Amino acid sequence: MPSPKIGNRAPAFNLPATSEQKIALKNLKGHYVVLYFYPKDSTPGCTTEGQDFSEHYEAFNSLGAVILGISKDSIASHEKFKAKHAFPFDLLSDENEEICQKYDVIKLKKMYGKEFMGVERSTFLIDPEGKLVAEWRKVRVKGHVEAVLNTLTEITQS
């Protein structure tokens, strides 16, 4: 499946989420959406990334943005992860990889000499009309959330 293109409509999603809800992109019209894909709940990099988004939550919120984390983990796993770190945003479960495929984030990865297909840490910024306005792929956690916030700030102030 080809990668979504900047300026085009972001791929739709309607997934189970924490707090016993389903979240659909179409219901977020009027808000910027920061959709970040991460490999696995409760791993060091994913925990740090979630904590960084939490730390900057009010700044994103003040710019009209909704933060959503998404991985292939189950809702039960997400609920534990969210509660343990008191994330102020919801996590979506894409257990069948359908949305991961639409956003082209399933990539060949290597760990401990083994190759496998997994989620490549990626973030997408979607505007209030549902268009993709920015993307970050092969994300390194350090400084990433600040880069997303800086881009959102520039877009909302132009």
Side-chain angles (χ1 to χ4, degrees), residues 88-137:
F89 50 84
D90 286 300
L91 302 175
L92 295 105
S93 175
D94 187 26
E95 288 186 271
N96 66 8
E97 290 183 11
E98 181 188 347
I99 305 308
C100 290
Q101 295 286 349
K102 284 184 179 180
Y103 280 84
D104 192 28
V105 299
I106 301 294
K107 303 291 182 186
L108 183 64
K109 300 173 86 175
K110 289 182 182 168
M111 190 184 293
Y112 308 120
K114 297 221 184 308
E115 289 189 341
F116 61 97
M117 298 303 282
V119 174
E120 177 181 82
R121 193 180 308 280
S122 307
T123 302
F124 299 87
L125 181 58
I126 302 164
D127 78 6
E129 301 303 310
K131 285 199 175 100
L132 190 60
V133 291
E135 67 176 12
W136 293 262
R137 293 185 177 270

Side-chain angles (χ1 to χ4, degrees), residues 13-18 22-24 35-36 38 67-75 78 90-95:
F13 58 83
N14 185 5
L15 289 171
T18 47
K22 268 191 110 163
I23 296 180
L35 185 65
Y36 79 96
Y38 65 96
I67 298 169
L68 296 171
I70 182 169
S71 81
K72 299 185 319 178
D73 294 301
S74 68
I75 286 297
H78 279 349
D90 286 300
L91 302 175
L92 295 105
S93 175
D94 187 26
E95 288 186 271

Side-chain angles (χ1 to χ4, degrees), residues 22-75:
K22 268 191 110 163
I23 296 180
L25 180 57
K26 68 180 182 198
N27 297 336
L28 299 171
K29 278 222 183 323
H31 295 278
Y32 282 92
V33 177
V34 175
L35 185 65
Y36 79 96
F37 289 83
Y38 65 96
K40 191 148 186 52
D41 289 344
S42 301
T43 56
C46 299
T47 299
T48 300
E49 186 176 26
Q51 290 168 333
D52 288 352
F53 274 115
S54 291
E55 196 177 302
H56 293 85
Y57 179 78
E58 289 305 324
F60 280 101
N61 199 30
S62 71
L63 294 170
V66 174
I67 298 169
L68 296 171
I70 182 169
S71 81
K72 299 185 319 178
D73 294 301
S74 68
I75 286 297

